[in-house]
Amino acid sequence: GTRIVYDRAFLLQCRNSPLTK
Amino acid sequence: TPAPPPGSGEHPIQFNYSLWFSKRTPGKQTTSYDQTLRFVGSFASVEQFWSYYTHLSRPSELSGHSDYHIFKEGIRPMWEDDANKAGGKWIIRLKKGIASRCWENLVLAMLGEQFMVGGEVCGAVVSIRYQEDILSLWNRTANDHVTTSRIRDTLKRILNLPPNTIMEYKCHTDSLK
């Protein structure tokens, strides 16, 4: 299957997502 | 407690992970390592990870002899676990003051699958000590030199460490002796 790869910048961006409680 | 499935709109990660915390109490050791280990929670998405992470003290703010462990779900952060028995770890000793930044970079690289070694990575640990702090990255197969070299190169790239930083690889079986 496909590997799910994220870079640091993207992961840091998710920190501010409203989904992150 | 298994990780809940990623919620709607969340970003799944390649592997689910579990977060653990341990702290050694000063003085005589009456408890085993196993007993000091506290399970914090498991996560299956980037957003679930941050939900835990943002509520924890940063490593540099911890006192005494404390460790955070993030391991793939199902692998206990100890040598005796089947996934770790034949494994080893890269150890990086850090001067006081940079552990929080380095730990975050290490964890993000692991969760984001930046190591490119398939299922070899078991987990990562940050150990807060009195004189120095220690990062370690554990993998399954200590004698797989292609994998351990690739992990070392990735660690160097993502951690942006001072040039005199020493990196050391230890097999868990050596630690047991």
Side-chain angles (χ1 to χ4, degrees), chain A residues 3-6 8 11 21, chain B residues 12 14 50 105 112-114:
Chain A
R3 273 173 65 239
I4 306 173
V5 177
Y6 298 118
R8 182 174 172 275
L11 293 171
K21 293 154 209 98
Chain B
Q14 178 74 28
W50 284 121
N105 287 340
E113 280 294 301
Q114 298 289 320

Side-chain angles (χ1 to χ4, degrees), chain B residues 37-54:
Chain B
L37 205 54
R38 293 277 173 269
F39 174 77
V40 179
S42 296
F43 48 91
S45 72
V46 180
E47 289 77 8
Q48 289 174 14
F49 159 70
W50 284 121
S51 299
Y52 283 113
Y53 189 87
T54 49

Side-chain angles (χ1 to χ4, degrees), chain B:
Chain B
T1 325
S8 164
E10 292 184 4
H11 296 87
I13 46 181
Q14 178 74 28
F15 296 98
N16 295 358
Y17 287 85
S18 300
L19 174 63
W20 307 75
F21 173 72
S22 60
K23 185 175 172 71
R24 206 172 79 181
T25 44
K28 193 160 175 266
Q29 292 310 301
T30 50
T31 48
S32 67
Y33 168 68
D34 202 10
Q35 287 172 301
T36 65
L37 205 54
R38 293 277 173 269
F39 174 77
V40 179
S42 296
F43 48 91
S45 72
V46 180
E47 289 77 8
Q48 289 174 14
F49 159 70
W50 284 121
S51 299
Y52 283 113
Y53 189 87
T54 49
H55 291 101
L56 296 170
S57 301
R58 289 158 60 83
S60 304
E61 294 162 1
L62 298 173
S63 60
H65 214 99
S66 308
D67 299 69
Y68 283 128
H69 320 250
I70 296 182
F71 275 69
K72 283 180 181 157
E73 195 173 45
I75 304 179
R76 285 175 67 80
M78 37 184 46
W79 303 320
E80 298 87 341
D81 191 283
D82 280 342
N84 295 320
K85 266 181 184 162
K89 58 185 174 183
W90 277 106
I91 299 168
I92 304 156
R93 295 172 190 282
L94 303 174
K95 272 188 275 185
K96 280 287 180 186
I98 61 173
S100 296
R101 170 177 66 81
C102 292
W103 170 240
E104 186 172 295
N105 287 340
L106 173 58
V107 170
L108 296 186
M110 182 172 74
L111 304 186
E113 280 294 301
Q114 298 289 320
F115 284 96
M116 313 280 275
V117 290
E120 265 289 321
V121 170
C122 294
V125 184
V126 59
S127 305
I128 302 303
R129 298 294 181 264
Y130 297 106
Q131 307 283 345
E132 61 181 2
D133 300 321
I134 304 163
L135 290 182
S136 46
L137 198 280
W138 295 35
N139 74 294
R140 281 177 184 268
T141 322
N143 62 13
D144 177 350
H145 298 293
V146 173
T147 290
T148 55
S149 309
R150 188 174 282 183
I151 292 173
R152 179 200 57 215
D153 294 344
T154 306
L155 285 170
K156 281 186 181 168
R157 179 168 57 81
I158 58 147
L159 292 176
N160 194 21
L161 295 163
N164 56 347
T165 307
I166 296 165
M167 296 180 65
E168 178 195 357
Y169 191 83
K170 251 191 192 171
C171 301
H172 296 319
T173 46
D174 292 342
S175 306
L176 280 165
K177 285 171 209 158

